[in-house]
Amino acid sequence: MKSVVIEQPGTLVLAERPLPAPAAGEVRVKVKYASICGSDVHIWHGHNPFAKYPRVIGHEFFGVIDAVGDGVDASRIGERVAVDPVVSCGHCYPCSVGRPNVCTTLSVIGVHRDGGFSEYSVAPASNAYTLPTTIPDRLASMMEPFTIAANITAFLKPQPQDVALIYGAGPMGLTAIQVLKGVYKVAQVLVVDRLPERLELAQASGADRVFNNAEVALAAQLEGVQPTLIIDAACHPSILAEAAAIASPAARIGLLGFSGEPCSITQQSLTSKELSLFTSRLNSHRFPQVIEWMEQGLIQPEKLVTHYFSLDEIERAMTLFEKDPRTCCKVVLEM
Ligand code: NAI
Ligand code: MN
Ligand code: ZN
């Protein structure tokens, strides 16, 4: 089978690899579509601290089960499935409190173990979620990015009367906008980015007001509006201090960033307004929820997808995704 392998940081090859056999408790998926994420690019360039090499990348993928390991019901062969990349032990402390995404022995498909930019991929059977026929193949790899928004909003508990502010209108910001508007019916969703093209996508995904902070700082454009719910989906370390400064008292702030750089913030700026900070990593069993949202038409993944490429064009697809955020948002690979 053909697989996209990062042999070592900087070296991406489309390699011929042996067909994997599903281990006990696993299924093998004949992958049909997979989408590119920033973290795939980071693993390619050696900027993901969790990655081990060589690695078949890809953690957003969809396909059809074509073989099962011991203990898995053979009637699952033929099922259309989206795969949750979060593989957890099920019994450590975080797992026992419903937080498998931070399992003490967390293994992420496409990061710690081989992933879905491949003609076939294996995964635990319980990570393979059957999709209803109303979700088309071409959009079925897009469930995972929405689980990130599902996870962080589960902490933030959005309310219709919130004034929400989202930093960054990349895939993470856009999924958050759609979930705040479509699922939680938040009346006002404000979005800030420095690229006008990204702000247009934000509006298409339902943003009520957009701000460009490339030249003028956001605070100077808000005219006293104090957001009650803020999501940092741009993830520059400087954003938290700005978010705390513009937030309403009693606001909640959600963070998605993984930067290793320190961010400088005073206790006073947080405590004087009694701000709540939440962080969110990947997702904790959020696939069923996202599948339901998609089935009910509450979210529109097609609004994020700008390009389709074949697996053979992987290097071109990854390069476009990385270098051209003005024309490119989600890039989907067709196997
Ligand atoms: P992206 O790079 O496509 O989008 C980021 C957007 O933020 C861009 O449109 C950029 O123009 C904008 N931006 C950058 N600095 C800004 C600033 N100071 N003010 C306003 N806008 C700014 O990336 P994507 O895929 O949307 O991911 C966003 C972040 O989320 C990444 O840092 C990624 O590491 C993180 N992430 C976290 C996850 C988690 O589970 N915690 C999962 C996936 C991504
Ligand atoms: Mn992703
Ligand atoms: Zn665990």
Side-chain angles (χ1 to χ4, degrees), residues 2-331:
K2 276 187 291 187
S3 304
V4 176
V5 184
I6 309 299
E7 302 213 312
Q8 56 186 323
T11 311
L12 179 151
V13 293
L14 189 59
E16 191 59 40
R17 285 200 147 194
L19 191 64
E26 288 187 341
V27 295
R28 184 173 66 203
V29 176
K30 180 165 191 356
V31 181
K32 291 190 138 185
Y33 289 92
S35 34
I36 298 177
C37 178
S39 58
D40 298 309
V41 176
H42 293 150
I43 296 172
W44 180 17
H45 296 319
H47 299 156
N48 182 315
F50 311 112
K52 303 270 177 298
Y53 300 87
R55 176 62 61 240
V56 176
I57 52 175
H59 61 270
E60 303 177 5
F61 61 103
F62 156 78
V64 175
I65 294 177
D66 90 316
V68 299
D70 280 350
V72 181
D73 191 342
S75 70
R76 292 203 66 181
I77 292 171
E79 267 181 27
R80 298 169 69 247
V81 293
V83 177
D84 183 348
V86 174
V87 179
S88 56
C89 78
H91 51 72
C92 68
Y93 169 71
C95 282
S96 75
V97 295
R99 312 271 290 273
N101 48 330
V102 285
C103 173
T104 55
T105 54
L106 176 70
S107 173
V108 180
I109 298 176
V111 181
H112 305 92
R113 53 181 275 169
D114 284 345
F117 291 180
S118 179
E119 288 177 308
Y120 294 85
S121 184
V122 290
S126 55
N127 284 57
Y129 288 90
T130 311
L131 294 182
T133 51
T134 47
I135 298 182
D137 290 9
R138 290 169 65 76
L139 296 175
S141 68
M142 289 289 295
M143 299 299 108
E144 195 274 345
F146 280 90
T147 65
I148 311 295
N151 210 69
I152 194 164
T153 53
F155 286 116
L156 294 167
K157 298 191 170 44
Q159 306 295 319
Q161 71 271 24
D162 270 316
V163 177
L165 169 68
I166 297 176
Y167 278 91
M172 288 303 106
L174 297 172
T175 56
I177 297 166
Q178 288 195 16
V179 169
L180 290 177
K181 293 302 292 183
V183 177
Y184 292 98
K185 315 297 180 197
V186 174
Q188 287 192 66
V189 175
L190 284 43
V191 180
V192 58
D193 201 297
R194 32 185 56 165
L195 300 177
E197 296 84 355
R198 285 284 169 95
L199 291 172
E200 278 174 31
L201 290 179
Q203 283 173 311
S205 274
D208 297 290
R209 292 179 69 188
V210 298
F211 300 89
N212 189 322
N213 64 349
E215 265 145 38
V216 180
L218 175 67
Q221 303 181 56
L222 280 177
E223 297 173 329
V225 173
Q226 291 191 308
T228 59
L229 183 165
I230 300 177
I231 296 176
D232 177 11
C235 303
H236 189 278
S238 65
I239 289 173
L240 179 58
E242 182 180 271
I246 62 179
S248 164
R252 300 91 79 204
I253 300 178
L255 302 175
L256 289 168
F258 283 95
S259 170
E261 296 299 311
C263 68
S264 159
I265 185 152
T266 62
Q267 293 180 348
Q268 188 180 67
S269 66
L270 298 171
T271 313
S272 61
K273 292 182 182 172
E274 204 177 73
L275 300 177
S276 300
L277 294 189
F278 296 93
T279 65
S280 177
R281 180 176 184 189
L282 303 166
N283 87 93
S284 54
H285 297 316
R286 306 277 173 203
F287 269 70
Q289 189 174 44
V290 169
I291 291 166
E292 207 175 295
W293 291 345
M294 171 93 183
E295 235 193 322
Q296 293 171 356
L298 305 180
I299 53 173
Q300 289 86 37
E302 67 276 13
K303 293 190 170 164
L304 275 66
V305 179
T306 53
H307 295 79
Y308 284 88
F309 283 98
S310 72
L311 187 61
D312 295 334
E313 298 171 292
I314 180 67
E315 190 147 355
R316 224 183 107 211
M318 297 262 290
T319 302
L320 178 84
F321 174 85
E322 180 187 2
K323 306 274 192 229
D324 206 354
R326 289 178 186 268
T327 64
C328 188
C329 188
K330 281 307 264 188
V331 176

